[in-house]
Amino acid sequence: MSKTRKMHLPEWATAGAAFIYYWIMALYKLTEAPIWQDEAMEFYCSLPVKGAIRGVTELATMYERMAYIQQQPPLYNWLMSLWLRVGEGEWWYRFSSVVFGFGAAVGLYFVIRRLCGRYMAAFCVVIYSSMYILMYYIKEASEYSLLLLIGFWLVYVWFLLCEEMSSRRILVFTLLCVLAVFTHYGAVFLVVPFGVSVLVMAFRRRDWRS
């Protein structure tokens, strides 16, 4: 009879190690690259400034600047206008994207945990944190990490709906769909197929629970 026991690590240890690895990778050389043009435009459109800026623009409000320059949904700039009230430094500005990326990593963890268990979930967070192109954009202040955050949690709620349909879960799913589209128009490619699948499930299941 073998006396060898399988090593059993508590979830806080495996998940914690994976998330610490994310923070190390995301914060490493966060401000090494200069501010890119699209980052500067996002900053300019998110400044909580009322009135024209002398020598810069005659557009009086943040909303006018967004409509004229960005032609994109306003959610990211709304959030950044609040974020920039705390500080406008380069590190703090880019740190916002790192925070959104962490929220996405947590969403990824819960999705994979539900599908494959906690060890695979922690492993996927490590892979997520090791992807060069992903970390490249997470270290850039833009709406992409926010969209990733909303997308992972939308998928997680979709899995919950597959298990049990309820009015509360439908409401949360709908809210995430709206937030995704208000973050980036490209989110329709995620929202439409998932939304249609939820409608199909809703018609098949009439015994919703609140």
Side-chain angles (χ1 to χ4, degrees), residues 47-123:
L47 284 176
V49 175
K50 293 182 179 180
I53 304 175
R54 180 178 297 179
V56 178
T57 181
E58 296 300 320
L59 300 175
T61 67
M62 179 183 74
Y63 308 104
E64 291 178 359
R65 294 195 293 271
M66 283 193 301
Y68 182 76
I69 297 176
Q70 295 291 78
Q71 292 91 41
Q72 71 178 25
L75 179 60
Y76 175 75
N77 295 110
W78 285 348
L79 293 177
M80 290 308 300
S81 69
L82 299 175
W83 184 273
L84 293 174
R85 291 180 187 273
V86 178
E88 297 180 1
E90 180 181 353
W91 190 92
W92 178 253
Y93 179 46
R94 284 183 169 173
F95 182 64
S96 62
S97 187
V98 174
V99 172
F100 293 143
F102 175 70
V106 175
L108 172 65
Y109 181 88
F110 277 96
V111 169
I112 302 301
R113 186 180 187 275
R114 181 164 292 273
L115 293 175
C116 307
R118 64 186 182 91
Y119 289 109
M120 182 57 69
F123 177 71

